[in-house]
Amino acid sequence: MEQAREATGKPTVVIARTVKGKGFRELENKDGWHGKALPPDMAERAIAELGGVRHLRIDGLKPEPGEPAIKDGKVNVTLPTYKKGEKVATRKAYGDALKALGARPTVVAMDGEVGNSTFAEEFAKAYPERYFEMFIAEQQLVAAAVGMSVRHYVPFASTFAAFFSRAYDFIRMAAISGANIRLCGSHAGVEIGEDGPSQMALEDLAAMRAVHGSTVLYPSDATSTAQLVKAMADQAGISYIRTTRGAYPVLYEDGAEFHIGGSKLVRSDPNDRVTLIGAGVTLHNCLAAADELEREGIKSRVIDLYSVKPIDRPTLQEAAALTRGRLVVVEDHYPEGGLGAAVMEALAADMDPPRIVHLAVRHLPGSGKPAELMDKAEISPRHIVAAAKRLYGL
Amino acid sequence: MAKSSVTEVRTTQGFDFIRELGQQLRVDSIRSSTTAGSGHPTSSMSAADLMAVLITRYFLYDWNDSHQPNNDHLIFSKGHASPLLYAIFKAVGVITDDEMLTFRKFGSRLQGHPTPALPWVDVATGSLGQGLPIAVGVALAGRKLDQLPYHVWTLTGDSELAEGSIWEGLDKAGYYGLANFTATGPNRVRVGDRSLPGPRPGLRMSCHRDRRPRPRADRSGVGAGARSHR
């Protein structure tokens, strides 16, 4: 241990020859005694053999006082801005926003060797001394974030959304630890296309929603992504943001506000007949469906439910009331535990609960173009139109 | 299980004292778990001497100020050895003997496995294979961000060395040259009725690029801490 303390350049592993139950011969190295308390009579014998009860006190050795080299400070973060209509992938906006947040000296980032895909590399290029490559080791990726949280840093860990499932037990335990960590899962859903189902996160929303005290975000455009990434920096507990591979039009003007627990009414009219609810890529599909419905004379309300947990219940209730309980929820995720489940759970106790058509990925997907796969999964605009009309009784 | 009224406060670090302390940690691990009616006393007894040596001689920690930035970190990756951890907390005077005996009881902060409900616990452990990788994360912060000389110690269990995450952690500790990180663990696997060979002292861990951390083997018997390292 002395040598370990003084080691330079490399870590130390002390491998000790230990004996289970050491000190009480009746039990030493005996099978069948793992995780068992000694019965009182046996405990008496053991304590006697060990020399009896003692109350030794030690003060231990104190370290020299020291202060961390990095201190938190009030810093203005200038978020990136995007032109409405410009096509930008939300994963790119994540990288841009993370780089902007790097102005705060306690913000750190780590990635599972896919930084050029998650766009964590934007941060890495700007702040290499605060970026930690964790290679293809997702458990260590989350563990490193938890370790940084112990030391009061603001860690952002990113990889493909699908691969956080590999570190799920670490995420679950991080919640028990009260750690403050931020996770970004990119390449979510069938939308990733050609790479096929091994790379598609279709369970992540359910998994992350189930984590104690978690925050789950799924923005649809670059403007909202940047703002939500900033909000995550100040959010306690486990927060998760799901980003999309493909580039889609920026929907919101610079200056539009997004907050944890919020939503956006992207389209609304007093004469709305049906509500379309999406997040991420499916919001774009909802907007395309709304255009088609409008052409057919049906006004629809479109909600960007970017905060999956906590969820904006009042906005959902208002929409349900106005559109007479006609709700279509669309998600690029398996049907269990995701956006649809979140909406249904939020409204289930209402006096007059809505009728919800839930469009989700119900079959095992394969490879193909994003539009082909979304259509096959029945989460494409034409399926949303059909669902809305069915609810409307057409 | 009569309580002694003798309380001795020592700063002495002789091995006679450390041996006595090790025995106390064993006795207290038995007392708390027997009082609870459950727990892992045998897993605590095996590591008692290692921890007695560590906390008296090499662990730099201000027990009156858990927020001191330069405190060492001790993460029990084998969280089920909580009786041992709580026995240490009694020995350094941050919990009383009475509180130690509330182990596993409803409302007690001394839960079955450690959590940060206790100010001297950094992270919850008990899901094996996690404490070590998290300790690597803390050490990474210490070396690359804080740039403070604190040391990060982790106590691993035997069977948890089979977890893939242990490799993930040690691999990165080597890659980042984390000299401020020490993993302490046993060299054989023995849980339940299984007995499997653990890592041998000759183990070499190959790493990314040309950095090669080498585990330091301590083949001394338990309680014979005076023996030299190899």
Side-chain angles (χ1 to χ4, degrees):
Chain A
M1 286 176 181
E2 191 171 324
Q3 289 178 30
R5 255 229 100 96
E6 290 163 4
T8 53
K10 57 179 95 165
T12 305
V13 177
V14 178
I15 300 171
R17 175 154 292 177
T18 56
V19 175
K20 196 157 189 159
K22 175 72 181 175
F24 181 39
R25 274 164 296 181
E26 256 182 75
L27 286 191
E28 279 184 11
N29 260 343
K30 286 261 162 54
D31 288 338
W33 279 95
H34 178 82
K36 283 185 188 157
L38 280 56
D41 58 325
M42 193 185 244
E44 291 280 358
R45 292 199 297 280
I47 292 166
E49 188 177 325
L50 288 160
V53 175
R54 299 158 177 82
H55 296 287
L56 301 173
R57 266 285 320 274
I58 57 162
D59 289 337
L61 306 167
K62 288 183 178 52
E64 296 289 327
E67 288 299 324
I70 296 175
K71 288 206 185 336
D72 205 2
K74 283 252 173 204
V75 176
N76 282 331
V77 172
T78 309
L79 288 177
T81 56
Y82 304 94
K83 276 202 199 86
K84 200 170 165 180
E86 171 191 12
K87 284 190 174 180
V88 183
T90 54
R91 62 186 169 121
K92 175 67 166 66
Y94 169 77
D96 295 343
L98 191 59
K99 178 181 163 185
L101 276 173
R104 282 176 62 172
T106 50
V107 169
V108 299
M110 52 220 69
D111 195 277
E113 213 176 354
V114 287
N116 61 340
S117 297
T118 61
F119 282 97
E121 71 173 10
E122 299 295 326
F123 182 93
K125 282 187 255 174
Y127 303 101
E129 71 287 356
R130 280 187 271 144
Y131 180 77
F132 301 96
E133 181 58 75
M134 286 295 132
F135 301 98
I136 308 293
E138 289 79 14
Q139 296 178 95
Q140 185 57 48
L141 172 67
V142 175
V146 173
M148 300 279 169
S149 166
V150 166
R151 293 300 307 185
H152 311 296
Y153 289 96
V154 181
F156 281 82
S158 48
T159 184
F160 283 19
F163 306 138
F164 274 121
S165 57
R166 194 152 186 150
Y168 191 60
D169 192 24
F170 280 74
I171 298 166
R172 179 186 74 87
M173 288 294 289
I176 298 172
S177 294
N180 302 314
I181 61 170
R182 295 125 198 107
L183 309 173
C184 171
S186 69
H187 295 68
V190 301
E191 191 277 341
I192 70 155
E194 291 81 354
D195 274 343
S198 71
Q199 317 295 300
M200 295 170 179
L202 289 161
E203 315 83 354
D204 56 317
L205 295 177
M208 297 298 182
R209 280 181 70 228
V211 172
H212 174 72
S214 66
T215 300
V216 180
L217 305 169
Y218 185 20
S220 305
D221 88 330
T223 303
S224 53
T225 301
Q227 286 212 26
L228 292 170
V229 171
K230 182 165 181 263
M232 287 168 82
D234 297 314
Q235 183 71 357
I238 315 297
S239 52
Y240 173 70
I241 189 164
R242 185 189 220 220
T243 61
T244 303
R245 188 195 66 88
Y248 294 86
V250 173
L251 300 172
Y252 304 107
E253 300 281 2
D254 180 33
E257 287 191 13
F258 299 86
H259 61 271
I260 289 166
S263 69
K264 269 278 187 257
L265 267 183
V266 190
R267 284 198 198 178
S268 62
D269 185 280
N271 296 316
D272 286 340
R273 297 286 178 254
V274 58
T275 302
L276 311 180
I277 300 166
V281 67
T282 61
L283 182 74
H284 296 274
N285 294 351
C286 286
L287 288 169
D291 287 342
E292 175 60 27
L293 288 167
E294 175 116 41
R295 279 193 287 274
E296 299 184 28
I298 303 167
K299 287 232 177 248
S300 60
R301 197 173 195 77
V302 179
I303 298 176
D304 176 357
L305 204 57
Y306 60 81
S307 182
V308 184
K309 179 188 174 185
I311 200 164
D312 183 359
R313 189 159 171 251
T315 296
L316 293 172
Q317 286 174 314
E318 188 193 332
L322 191 97
T323 61
R324 300 192 178 191
R326 291 187 282 260
L327 264 55
V328 181
V329 188
V330 198
E331 60 183 318
D332 192 355
H333 186 275
Y334 287 140
E336 297 84 5
L339 195 68
V343 170
M344 288 186 256
E345 287 164 21
L347 301 178
D350 284 5
M351 288 297 285
D352 194 8
R355 289 175 297 141
I356 295 176
V357 175
H358 181 200
L359 303 180
V361 181
R362 291 174 191 276
H363 302 285
L364 189 65
S367 288
K369 290 193 171 64
E372 292 169 336
L373 293 172
M374 286 194 282
D375 196 58
K376 170 78 177 163
E378 303 185 7
I379 58 171
S380 61
R382 73 182 178 100
H383 289 100
I384 300 169
V385 168
K389 284 162 117 179
R390 216 156 54 235
L391 272 177
Y392 195 51
L394 291 174
Chain B
M1 283 193 279
K3 270 195 239 170
S4 158
S5 60
V6 182
T7 298
E8 228 180 315
V9 180
R10 291 256 202 121
T11 50
T12 324
Q13 293 151 38
F15 278 109
D16 287 346
F17 175 79
I18 291 173
R19 184 175 167 72
E20 276 296 294
L21 180 64
Q23 295 294 78
Q24 171 174 313
L25 298 178
R26 291 190 169 90
V27 167
D28 283 345
S29 298
I30 293 169
R31 290 172 66 225
S32 63
S33 54
T34 292
T35 304
S38 64
H40 296 74
T42 56
S43 307
S44 299
M45 292 162 81
S46 60
D49 296 305
L50 283 168
M51 291 300 105
V53 171
L54 178 66
I55 61 167
T56 49
R57 290 196 155 197
Y58 304 112
F59 188 60
L60 304 184
Y61 194 92
D62 186 345
W63 292 101
N64 296 316
D65 181 10
S66 63
H67 297 296
Q68 162 62 250
N70 211 11
N71 276 342
D72 276 4
H73 291 262
L74 172 60
I75 297 177
F76 264 42
S77 200
K78 54 182 282 184
H80 58 282
S82 50
L84 174 59
L85 186 63
Y86 303 155
I88 292 170
F89 291 162
K90 171 196 149 178
V92 297
V94 293
I95 65 170
T96 63
D97 193 68
D98 286 343
E99 184 176 10
M100 189 185 73
L101 297 178
T102 66
F103 176 50
R104 287 176 169 253
K105 291 199 166 62
F106 181 74
S108 171
R109 56 182 182 162
L110 306 185
Q111 299 177 24
H113 293 78
T115 78
L118 294 158
W120 322 281
V121 173
D122 288 324
V123 288
T125 53
S127 180
L128 292 170
Q130 296 205 16
L132 183 148
I134 292 168
V136 169
V138 176
L140 197 55
R143 193 162 179 84
K144 306 288 184 186
L145 300 169
D146 291 333
Q147 295 169 33
L148 283 171
Y150 62 77
H151 205 88
V152 184
W153 307 86
T154 182
L155 177 68
T156 63
D158 39 17
S159 283
E160 75 170 321
L161 300 179
E163 292 276 12
S165 55
I166 296 292
W167 165 253
E168 291 190 18
L170 291 177
D171 180 49
K172 305 316 164 289
Y175 177 78
Y176 283 105
L178 301 180
N180 58 341
F181 169 81
T182 299
T184 304
N187 77 337
R188 62 178 305 189
V189 172
R190 192 175 183 87
V191 162
D193 297 333
R194 292 178 299 120
S195 186
L196 302 165
R200 311 310 330 156
L203 172 79
R204 278 169 72 126
M205 292 174 285
S206 68
C207 268
H208 296 278
R209 296 177 193 165
D210 58 349
R211 304 188 204 187
R212 289 174 170 269
R214 282 167 206 173
R216 183 168 292 135
D218 175 1
R219 303 199 64 178
S220 59
V222 168
R227 223 177 276 178
S228 63
H229 298 272
R230 308 192 330 165

